[in-house]
Amino acid sequence: AIPGDLTAPEKPTRSGSPDSFVAWDELGREGKYFVTGGPNKEKIARTTNKPSQEPIRLYVGLSAAPTPEQQAELALAELKRSKSFERKKIVIATPTGTGWIDDGAVDSFEYLHGGDTSIVAVQYSYLSSPVTLILDPDRARISARAVFNTVYGYWKTLPKESRPELYIYGLSLGSLGSEDSAQIYSLLSDPISGALWAGPPFANSFWP
């Protein structure tokens, strides 16, 4: 059920806007909630009593491209278009099975860092995490790995002294995909800045 009470964003910092490479109707239900939600720079400034930038939120819906690799390339194109690589911090967020991104995680990140952030997510399923985990457990892994490899591959080419810090995040089934996306040993020479995996299902390798 696509929400009828939402309208497409106008700011270029959001997917689904007139400047975006992803059309509003290609975002899906949870993508629309994600790009229209969260605090704006005025709210962050009022809350923190510090100057803020407009947070960047990018999302590629399942119908936006036919393959995980093409979705990943679209995500990278959105990052470049929105000048996300000029921000201080970028988060690759792997959503739950339905495509949902937890507000509590991403909103707080934007508040903590004064909106000098960009969060990008790619949808890999319409089904709930338990159903996806049973029917197609590799779907989250394949998608997350394609997105991470594409974004990380470009990020590595940027000057170390000026490129943004790179983080990965996943909740529930998203944590399964996210933890598998970044092969820890392959990152030793050029590591990312951190990861947050919440509510890992039984199939995860890493547990708190």
Side-chain angles (χ1 to χ4, degrees):
I2 303 299
D5 57 339
L6 301 179
T7 56
E10 295 294 329
K11 296 177 181 178
T13 53
R14 302 294 169 113
S15 292
S17 66
D19 296 312
S20 174
F21 296 135
V22 183
W24 173 246
D25 289 337
E26 294 174 337
L27 291 175
R29 173 189 174 92
E30 299 300 340
K32 289 182 176 181
Y33 279 126
F34 176 67
V35 301
T36 57
N40 57 25
K41 65 178 182 179
E42 290 80 15
K43 188 172 183 179
I44 295 175
R46 287 196 305 269
T47 303
T48 63
N49 200 28
K50 295 178 181 179
S52 173
Q53 296 192 54
E54 189 67 39
I56 297 174
R57 289 193 174 197
L58 308 171
Y59 196 95
V60 178
L62 189 58
S63 64
T67 68
E69 292 74 21
Q70 289 172 303
Q71 283 184 306
E73 290 294 340
L74 193 51
L76 178 59
E78 280 285 89
L79 286 165
K80 292 178 179 179
R81 174 197 63 78
S82 59
K83 299 181 179 179
S84 292
F85 293 101
E86 298 178 13
R87 295 300 176 99
K88 188 175 181 179
K89 300 176 188 294
I90 291 178
V91 178
I92 302 174
T94 306
T96 65
T98 61
W100 177 60
I101 302 291
D102 180 25
D103 294 338
V106 291
D107 289 10
S108 58
F109 191 83
E110 292 165 340
Y111 277 109
L112 284 169
H113 302 294
D116 197 2
T117 59
S118 176
I119 303 172
V120 60
V122 173
Q123 185 182 18
Y124 54 86
S125 173
Y126 292 118
L127 303 175
S128 66
S129 290
V131 175
T132 306
L133 183 60
I134 294 171
L135 296 181
D136 195 355
D138 288 332
R139 181 176 289 270
R141 292 187 177 104
I142 292 170
S143 173
R145 195 178 302 130
V147 176
F148 178 81
N149 288 340
T150 300
V151 176
Y152 178 73
Y154 177 78
W155 175 83
K156 284 199 305 181
T157 68
L158 303 176
K160 290 186 177 182
E161 64 275 9
S162 60
R163 70 189 181 190
E165 296 176 1
L166 183 62
Y167 298 85
I168 56 177
Y169 161 71
L171 170 69
S172 184
L173 186 57
S175 71
L176 175 65
S178 182
E179 74 162 26
D180 191 64
S181 68
Q183 300 300 312
I184 302 301
Y185 295 111
S186 66
L187 299 178
L188 291 177
S189 63
D190 204 354
I192 61 175
S193 293
L196 174 62
W197 300 318
F202 66 88
N204 282 56
S205 299
F206 298 118
W207 283 78

